[in-house]
Amino acid sequence: QVHVVDSGGGSVQAGGSLRLSCVASGFTYRGYSMGWFRQAPGKEREGVAGRDRDGTTRYADSVKGRFTISQDNAKNTLYLEMNSLKPEDTAMYYCAAGGPTYCSIGDCLNPRNFEYWGQGTQVTVSS
């Protein structure tokens, strides 16, 4: 059975930082990309950052230079380091696995391309 567990959300002031974590188990996820997505109330789920098996990363324009996606294979954990947070970053953040093999070929920021999802972790940034 596949499990994707994301955590690390919280409430911070604008300019602050948070680190989200995601542990995926129950399938051979190393052959596929993983990613972080977010959904604000009344809005569609959008891609934030994706990373494939070769370490190629993709970022939404709105987070480039502020967010960093990384993976610790020894711990089977995916991270999203978020710096210089803005109120518009407020959303439920989801980890996803089972995405395109290569981000250079498939769209690692399209939620429709990912098969397994975490339950979400809330990030709230106040001004």
Side-chain angles (χ1 to χ4, degrees), residues 52-72:
D52 69 16
R53 56 183 293 175
D54 287 346
T56 299
T57 57
R58 292 287 184 264
Y59 294 93
D61 288 342
S62 59
V63 306
K64 283 180 181 177
R66 300 189 298 122
F67 291 11
T68 303
I69 187 171
S70 61
Q71 189 163 354
D72 185 334

Side-chain angles (χ1 to χ4, degrees), residues 56-110:
T56 299
T57 57
R58 292 287 184 264
Y59 294 93
D61 288 342
S62 59
V63 306
K64 283 180 181 177
R66 300 189 298 122
F67 291 11
T68 303
I69 187 171
S70 61
Q71 189 163 354
D72 185 334
N73 288 327
K75 296 181 179 179
N76 296 339
T77 303
L78 183 76
Y79 301 100
L80 184 67
E81 188 75 35
M82 304 185 296
N83 298 315
S84 301
L85 282 162
K86 304 175 180 180
E88 50 263 45
D89 294 318
T90 295
M92 184 72 78
Y93 282 70
Y94 298 90
C95 174
T101 301
Y102 298 106
C103 292
S104 59
I105 298 175
D107 186 353
C108 288
L109 294 180
N110 187 340

Side-chain angles (χ1 to χ4, degrees), residues 30-49:
R30 290 197 180 96
Y32 302 91
S33 58
M34 296 184 69
W36 289 98
F37 299 80
R38 66 187 181 187
Q39 187 167 17
K43 294 188 177 181
E44 292 188 354
R45 190 169 297 189
E46 63 175 357
V48 175

